[in-house]
C-alpha cells in the first residue's frame, strides 16, 4: 500500500448488511455477473469488527477492515501509528491522524463520503459523526434505505463530485450502499411487505446491474484501488433472530474483495 497511496485513487464501498452466504450463492449462480467481472477472485470470507453499521465503520476508519477468516497474523493495508500494534507490517501504509480519512487527507487526498443508512444521514449529531470525518459529504432521502433507486442516486453524486476535481488531485471515495438494508422487499417482482433472504438477494442483483456505472465514475485517469465489502450481515429469522447487532455467525461473517481498476 505504500506504493499505492499517493499514486492511486482509493475507494471503499461498503455494501451495508450484505450476507456472505447470499453474496457467494448469487455469484456462483451467475446472477451477479458485473461483480463477477470486477472481482475475478470472487468473494473472500472475512470477519467483521462490528455487528452493526456504526461499530463496523468506526473500526474501518481506524484501519481495521474485516479480518480474513483463517489463522493469522494478518497485516493490515492501512493503519494509524500506535504503540503495540501487531497487525502493522512492512507492507502497511501507516498514516498520521486519528482516522485513515484524516491520514489520507494529510497525504493530499480529497475525501468524499456518500451516505446511505441512518448513521450517515446528517440529520442529527450521531448521524454526522462518521460523515464529519470527510471534507465532502452527502446524504438526502433519495440515497437512503427507503428509496428503491438509492444506489443509482448515490452513483450520480459520485459522478458529479469527482467530475469537479482536478485530474491530478487524488480522491478517496467512500460509499455506504443502502439498498441491501431493510426494507428491501420492493426489489422482488410484485414487491410485497415482508423482507426475506430472497429480497436481500434481489437487492444485491439490483446493485450488480449498476456496478459498471460506478466503476466508470471512479475511473478518473489514475488507477483506483477499490475495496468492496460488507460491514455486517443480517438475520431473517435464523435461530429466532431478525436484524443484526448480535454476534451470530451470519452477522459477523462478511464478503470482502479488493481490486485495482484501470492499471
Amino acid at each position: 500500500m505504500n506504493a499505492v497511496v499517493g499514486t492511486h485513487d482509493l475507494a471503499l464501498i461498503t455494501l451495508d448488511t450484505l450476507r456472505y452466504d447470499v453474496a457467494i450463492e448469487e455469484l456462483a449462480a451467475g446472477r451477479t455477473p458485473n461483480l463477477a467481472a470486477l472481482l475475478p477472485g470472487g468473494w473472500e470470507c472475512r470477519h467483521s469488527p462490528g455487528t452493526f453499521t456504526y461499530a463496523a465503520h468506526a473500526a474501518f476508519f481506524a484501519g481495521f477492515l474485516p479480518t480474513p477468516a483463517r489463522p493469522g497474523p494478518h497485516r493490515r493495508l492501512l493503519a494509524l501509528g500506535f504503540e503495540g500494534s501487531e497487525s502493522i507490517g512492512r507492507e502497511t501504509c501507516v498514516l498520521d491522524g486519528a482516522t485513515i480519512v484524516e491520514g489520507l487527507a494529510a497525504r493530499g487526498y480529497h475525501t468524499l463520503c456518500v451516505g446511505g443508512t441512518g448513521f450517515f444521514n446528517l440529520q442529527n449529531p450521531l448521524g454526522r459523526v462518521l460523515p464529519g470525518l470527510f471534507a465532502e459529504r452527502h446524504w438526502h432521502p433519495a440515497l437512503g434505505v427507503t428509496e428503491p433507486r438509492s444506489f443509482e442516486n448515490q452513483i450520480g453524486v459520485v459522478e458529479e463530485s469527482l467530475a469537479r476535481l482536478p485530474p491530478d488531485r487524488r480522491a478517496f471515495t467512500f460509499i455506504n450502499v443502502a439498498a441491501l438494508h431493510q426494507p428491501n422487499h420492493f426489489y422482488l417482482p410484485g414487491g410485497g411487505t415482508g423482507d426475506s433472504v430472497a429480497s436481500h438477494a434481489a437487492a444485491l442483483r439490483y446493485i450488480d446491474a449498476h456496478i459498471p456505472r460506478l466503476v466508470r465514475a471512479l475511473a478518473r485517469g489514475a488507477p483506483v484501488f477499490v475495496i468492496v465489502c460488507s460491514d455486517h450481515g443480517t438475520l431473517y429469522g435464523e435461530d429466532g433472530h431478525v436484524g443484526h447487532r448480535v454476534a451470530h455467525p451470519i452477522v459477523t461473517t462478511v464478503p470482502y474483495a479488493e481490486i485495482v481498476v484501470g492499471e
Side-chain angles (χ1 to χ4, degrees), residues 57-136:
H57 284 84
F60 293 173
F61 295 148
F64 296 94
L65 294 168
T67 306
R70 58 183 186 273
H74 302 293
R75 305 304 183 202
R76 290 183 287 136
L77 297 175
L78 300 166
L80 303 162
F82 72 99
E83 295 78 5
S85 175
E86 297 183 355
S87 54
I88 294 175
R90 288 182 298 175
E91 303 85 359
T92 306
C93 179
V94 181
L95 300 166
D96 295 323
T99 67
I100 63 169
V101 185
E102 181 182 344
L104 290 170
R107 297 282 189 100
Y109 279 79
H110 176 70
T111 58
L112 167 65
C113 169
V114 181
T117 59
F119 288 113
F120 298 92
N121 69 13
L122 303 174
Q123 302 300 293
N124 51 67
L126 181 58
R128 291 191 287 270
V129 172
L130 296 174
L133 301 174
F134 292 78
E136 181 182 353

Side-chain angles (χ1 to χ4, degrees), residues 9-219:
D9 280 355
L10 304 174
L12 172 58
I13 303 164
T14 55
L15 304 179
D16 201 292
T17 316
L18 176 58
R19 292 168 49 138
Y20 176 73
D21 58 348
V22 170
I24 60 171
E25 287 168 11
E26 293 298 297
L27 192 73
R31 291 189 289 264
T32 52
N34 293 312
L35 283 165
L38 179 65
L39 313 172
W43 293 111
E44 180 184 355
C45 182
R46 292 203 174 195
H47 292 148
S48 176
T51 60
F52 69 108
T53 300
Y54 189 92
H57 284 84
F60 293 173
F61 295 148
F64 296 94
L65 294 168
T67 306
R70 58 183 186 273
H74 302 293
R75 305 304 183 202
R76 290 183 287 136
L77 297 175
L78 300 166
L80 303 162
F82 72 99
E83 295 78 5
S85 175
E86 297 183 355
S87 54
I88 294 175
R90 288 182 298 175
E91 303 85 359
T92 306
C93 179
V94 181
L95 300 166
D96 295 323
T99 67
I100 63 169
V101 185
E102 181 182 344
L104 290 170
R107 297 282 189 100
Y109 279 79
H110 176 70
T111 58
L112 167 65
C113 169
V114 181
T117 59
F119 288 113
F120 298 92
N121 69 13
L122 303 174
Q123 302 300 293
N124 51 67
L126 181 58
R128 291 191 287 270
V129 172
L130 296 174
L133 301 174
F134 292 78
E136 181 182 353
R137 53 269 194 187
H138 298 270
W139 189 89
H140 49 77
L143 310 180
V145 297
T146 60
E147 169 52 58
R149 299 185 64 182
S150 61
F151 188 47
E152 296 160 80
N153 297 333
Q154 288 181 307
I155 297 171
V157 174
V158 173
E159 290 170 335
E160 293 177 8
S161 295
L162 294 184
R164 291 194 293 265
L165 285 182
D168 59 348
R169 180 78 187 276
R170 300 281 57 82
F172 170 48
T173 302
F174 164 73
I175 312 166
N176 175 247
V177 179
L180 285 148
H181 198 284
Q182 296 96 319
N184 52 42
H185 56 83
F186 35 67
Y187 293 109
L188 283 174
T193 58
D195 299 328
S196 63
V197 174
S199 61
H200 187 90
L204 180 59
R205 295 193 292 272
Y206 159 71
I207 291 168
D208 181 81
H210 299 283
I211 283 292
R213 181 184 166 200
L214 175 59
V215 172
R216 290 193 298 270
L218 294 171

